């Protein structure tokens, strides 16, 4: 049915096909109608690694509705975006960050194009770290129309274009501390805590720990790790 020899599938099924090509695994996964979790498991068992991208182009744009309740109960500004950085849900504390009193429809666009007035040191503390995330997302989702339009608008912007073409290696902001002007509380900085809803590859849950005042310098964020007695020091 897929155009491969019977022997090829027998090797895959028996576990004797070491490091099979991703294209073969994707064809098999789609033939069997696997979901994204099954797709990840298949790649881990067959290749010892996570897949290079989602199984379906539509993945990453819907997640369990319970996330809305979870985000609403967080005491810090928090939100969830889909794989295109479109806002899926957020709490009132996140809305309060913005001059308009409403969170942006797309957080990637806001950070790179529309939110510069609130993002302190945008050209040094924000853009060089956010733009590589857009590039990494497009490497996995080259046909994402929302992200492609953001990229086109960046390349047409005289301030953003040279920073985008310079590139970079930052692919997630977990633990980053960046300066920002809070609409209600004034100048401060946020520490970013990032998680991913596993049912929606490419989506992200962001918790922003905001503290007013000057940005801290010269220190790295404190790291937590499990202790022998099961308690964090």
């Amino acid at each position: 049915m897929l155009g491969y020899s019977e022997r090829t599938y027998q090797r895959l099924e028996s576990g004797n096909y070491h490091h099979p090509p991703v294209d073969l695994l994707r064809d098999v996964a789609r033939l069997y109608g696997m979901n994204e979790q099954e797709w990840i498991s298949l790649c881990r068992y067959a290749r010892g690694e996570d897949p290079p991208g989602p199984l379906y182009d539509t993945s990453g744009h819907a997640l369990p509705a319970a996330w809305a309740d979870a985000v609403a109960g967080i005491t810090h500004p928090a939100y969830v975006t889909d794989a295109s950085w479109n806002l899926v849900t957020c709490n009132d504390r996140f809305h309060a960050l913005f001059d308009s009193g409403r969170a942006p429809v797309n957080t990637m666009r806001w950070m790179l194009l529309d939110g510069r007035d609130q993002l302190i040191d945008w050209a040094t503390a924000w853009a060089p770290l956010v733009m590589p995330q857009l590039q990494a997302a497009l490497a996995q989702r080259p046909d994402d129309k929302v992200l492609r339009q953001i990229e086109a608008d960046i390349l047409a912007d005289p301030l953003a274009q040279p920073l985008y073409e310079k590139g970079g290696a930052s692919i997630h902001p977990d633990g980053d501390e960046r300066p920002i002007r809070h609409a209600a509380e004034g100048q401060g900085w946020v520490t970013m805590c990032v998680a991913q809803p596993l049912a929606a590859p490419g989506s992200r849950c962001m918790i922003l720990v905001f503290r007013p005042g000057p940005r801290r310098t010269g220190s790295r964020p404190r790291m937590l790790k499990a202790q022998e007695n099961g308690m964090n020091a």
Side-chain angles (χ1 to χ4, degrees):
M1 293 177 68
L2 297 177
Y4 298 97
S5 69
E6 183 177 345
R7 174 61 179 160
T8 297
Y9 186 76
Q10 288 175 343
R11 291 171 58 207
L12 178 65
E13 188 177 43
S14 65
N16 292 322
Y17 195 154
H18 301 295
H19 213 68
V22 173
D23 288 345
L24 168 61
L25 297 181
R26 182 177 288 108
D27 288 343
V28 170
R30 288 178 174 173
L31 176 66
Y32 284 118
M34 291 184 180
N35 60 34
E36 293 294 338
Q37 294 186 54
E38 292 167 336
W39 165 233
I40 293 172
S41 294
L42 176 62
C43 288
R44 287 178 178 177
Y45 283 124
R47 293 174 57 89
E49 60 188 20
D50 285 346
L55 182 59
Y56 306 106
D57 293 338
T58 55
S59 297
H61 292 90
L63 60 153
W67 274 96
D69 292 334
V71 168
I74 296 173
T75 58
H76 298 287
Y79 65 96
V80 174
T81 55
D82 65 16
S84 301
W85 269 267
N86 294 316
L87 186 68
V88 177
T89 187
C90 70
N91 60 17
D92 291 339
R93 296 169 186 83
F94 185 61
H95 282 304
L97 272 172
F98 302 94
D99 289 337
S100 65
R102 298 296 299 175
V105 173
N106 185 285
T107 59
M108 176 64 74
R109 172 174 290 279
W110 188 84
M111 287 187 290
L112 295 182
L113 294 165
D114 302 332
R116 297 173 189 172
D117 291 342
Q118 284 193 249
L119 301 178
I120 300 170
D121 298 332
W122 175 83
T124 56
W126 288 87
L129 299 174
V130 179
M131 289 181 177
Q133 296 176 51
L134 174 60
Q135 293 166 332
L138 282 170
Q140 283 197 321
R141 299 173 179 269
D143 297 324
D144 190 303
K145 294 181 180 179
V146 173
L147 298 182
R148 281 296 175 201
Q149 185 59 57
I150 294 173
E151 180 186 52
D153 293 341
I154 288 172
L155 294 175
D157 185 285
L159 292 177
Q161 180 262 340
L163 295 173
Y164 187 76
E165 292 185 344
K166 186 177 181 179
S170 177
I171 59 171
H172 72 75
D174 193 26
D176 285 1
E177 297 176 349
R178 298 180 192 167
I180 191 172
R181 178 178 55 79
H182 193 295
E185 301 183 39
Q187 181 174 332
W189 48 278
V190 290
T191 302
M192 301 180 174
C193 301
V194 189
Q196 180 181 312
L198 297 181
S203 66
R204 62 206 56 79
C205 175
M206 298 280 293
I207 302 172
L208 307 178
V209 182
F210 176 81
R211 296 179 176 87
R215 185 185 184 195
R216 295 192 307 189
T217 58
S219 63
R220 293 186 177 183
R222 186 170 65 94
M223 303 298 288
L224 298 176
K225 62 179 182 179
Q227 303 297 310
E228 290 185 0
N229 61 3
M231 298 294 291
N232 285 319

